[in-house]
Amino acid sequence: MTAKRSGARSKRPRPTEFQPAPEPRGEPHLSLERPLSLERPLSLERIVATAVELLDARGIDGLTMRRLADRLGSGVMSLYWHVDDKDGVFDLALDSVLEYRGSPQMNGAEDWRVEIVHMLEDWRAGMLRHPWSVPLLSSRALGPNILSRLELLGRTLSRAGVADKDLNVAIWSLWNYVMGATITRTSFDLADSDKAATQQHHAHPGERYPTIQRSRLLFDDDWVGTFRKGLDLLLAGLAPGR
Amino acid sequence: MTAKRSGARSKRPRPTEFQPAPEPRGEPHLSLERPLSLERPLSLERIVATAVELLDARGIDGLTMRRLADRLGSGVMSLYWHVDDKDGVFDLALDSVLEYRGSPQMNGAEDWRVEIVHMLEDWRAGMLRHPWSVPLLSSRALGPNILSRLELLGRTLSRAGVADKDLNVAIWSLWNYVMGATITRTSFDLADSDKAATQQHHAHPGERYPTIQRSRLLFDDDWVGTFRKGLDLLLAGLAPGR
DNA sequence: ACCTGAACACCGTTCAAGT
DNA sequence: ACCTGAACACCGTTCAAGT
């Protein structure tokens, strides 16, 4: 039977440090009904936070409505009062993980170049911290937090002197660069953990892939450095002035 | 996870050849309404081709082992003799769609810039023709056809005069750019078909996203032009010579 | 070598109902 | 307003077996 409503349930699964629920800051609307108790009552915030936890722990296939409900100490169907369906959970989890907490004082005084690099590295780091977000991001619609990042990026470029007519290309070039770099990175993490494939394709690239081998393409693990170099190059091209 | 297992199970021993192209020859248009099973014997090729067909027609969730077997006119479990598991089908389908048929005579005589642009646009077009390949590509290991594309890209860059020590950054920058641009593109296709989200976030970007609106970021549909511009910019930065 | 159905342990979601 | 179990129509895959 599935009667598991005994008292020992429904405690917080783990005290692991973990990013707070999607809306920690003083944002417009929020539930002032409930105290911040993470205990009994189901709430969108709790559902999303737990979904992220589950995704972090077990990957994209590990998120199951039943498993999620279980972790929350509720019945499966209770989730459906708060959420449309499983895709809704994916969308919410994805966007929550992409929220941008800007650095304390990023005002106009700073060098815009520093600012942009910081934004993009933060974004990339966020995705790498939750690798499941990458495929999700490429198969689901853009949420508000992602759009906010785009907006901020555009604003900064604009402030840096990029003309309106060039803004489009500038934003997308940077955006695409970050997405691409992150995908590449997670791809290779995957490849590394998949020894069979690595053996088969990466271990002896000299025979079929001499250039790849010569450039040490698959073995260079200075991802951050490479990321920065390409980014600098791009920025130089986009806003040559100053 | 690659499909070939080390045991004696696979159809083809796994030496040098991975597997031929399952994509339909002739014009890329194919009928989605395929009559079932005119050819009797199951084969890896047939399985992969049908999987691609199914993915094209019904998306990533539409591929089901049962459905696949059904289309092939076989029992579900018959598939498992040719293929490890469902992930194996995904890997095979993905790689098959990314095969590069170089243009007839792409020899050294051509301008390398033309060559590279052609390669990358072909790659991008291939992914857009099979949108399910994008999230798959960002969550699965790189297959041989993808590595071949990388190799060719590196070789061409090298021939164009890029020094070995710069090859790494050059390859990844271009690669990442294409991946990112393609993801962005498919994201917006999704957003367009998702009217609720579009209504909510894209229809009134002026209020919360003034810069995005000003740059007409979300409404510009000259994807090809934008793609080309960013690419030219990148190429100029990567190989300033000439 | 190749293919098969039955069976198992799961899924997401509808529904009618409880508080 | 919030939550629930039972039920339905699916899944992927193991197994023992057939040719």
Side-chain angles (χ1 to χ4, degrees), chain B residues 41-42 66 74-75 77-78 81-82:
Chain B
L42 232 37
R66 290 173 209 257
S74 76
M77 294 318 297
S78 312
W81 193 88
H82 302 267

Side-chain angles (χ1 to χ4, degrees), chain A residues 48-101:
Chain A
V48 174
T50 309
V52 169
E53 218 175 289
L54 202 44
L55 283 163
D56 284 344
R58 328 216 5 189
I60 215 161
D61 289 332
L63 179 57
T64 271
M65 293 305 269
R66 290 172 210 256
R67 211 124 67 186
L68 184 52
D70 215 59
R71 250 187 206 230
L72 287 161
S74 75
V76 202
M77 293 319 295
S78 311
L79 301 175
Y80 285 80
W81 194 88
H82 302 266
V83 139
D84 278 355
D85 51 13
K86 196 188 179 183
D87 277 345
V89 178
F90 275 134
D91 287 336
L92 257 7
L94 176 61
D95 202 63
S96 91
V97 137
L98 263 26
E99 195 196 9
Y100 184 54
R101 305 162 174 68

Side-chain angles (χ1 to χ4, degrees), chain A residues 81-238:
Chain A
W81 194 88
H82 302 266
V83 139
D84 278 355
D85 51 13
K86 196 188 179 183
D87 277 345
V89 178
F90 275 134
D91 287 336
L92 257 7
L94 176 61
D95 202 63
S96 91
V97 137
L98 263 26
E99 195 196 9
Y100 184 54
R101 305 162 174 68
S103 71
Q105 66 289 37
M106 270 298 182
N107 41 33
E110 290 256 18
D111 181 10
W112 62 269
R113 220 173 274 263
V114 173
E115 207 162 331
I116 285 185
V117 169
H118 174 268
M119 280 171 40
L120 298 183
E121 279 184 339
D122 170 89
W123 179 30
R124 178 176 128 95
M127 289 191 284
L128 290 179
R129 222 177 294 125
H130 308 280
W132 46 269
S133 67
V134 180
L136 238 41
L137 197 46
S138 56
S139 66
R140 315 209 55 79
L142 304 181
N145 280 330
I146 314 178
L147 287 174
S148 291
R149 279 182 189 262
L150 273 174
E151 167 67 18
L152 185 55
L153 178 59
R155 208 151 50 211
T156 309
L157 283 169
S158 199
R159 200 148 45 67
V162 175
D164 276 18
K165 70 171 177 44
D166 299 327
L167 212 45
N168 212 326
V169 173
I171 295 177
W172 282 135
S173 297
L174 290 170
W175 176 266
N176 293 344
Y177 179 75
V178 175
M179 283 303 306
T182 309
I183 280 192
T184 300
R185 174 64 206 277
T186 56
S187 282
F188 277 90
D189 281 353
L190 280 173
D192 282 349
S193 66
D194 181 357
K195 277 315 168 196
T198 303
Q199 197 74 11
Q200 198 173 349
H201 304 127
H202 300 179
H204 306 297
E207 300 155 16
R208 264 187 293 172
Y209 312 112
T211 312
I212 289 183
Q213 178 161 65
R214 186 152 41 85
S215 74
R216 298 191 48 77
L217 187 66
L218 303 181
F219 300 98
D220 174 31
D221 55 357
D222 179 20
W223 295 102
V224 187
T226 306
F227 179 74
R228 274 299 291 273
K229 272 185 234 166
L231 188 52
D232 288 343
L233 194 147
L234 206 49
L235 283 174
L238 288 174

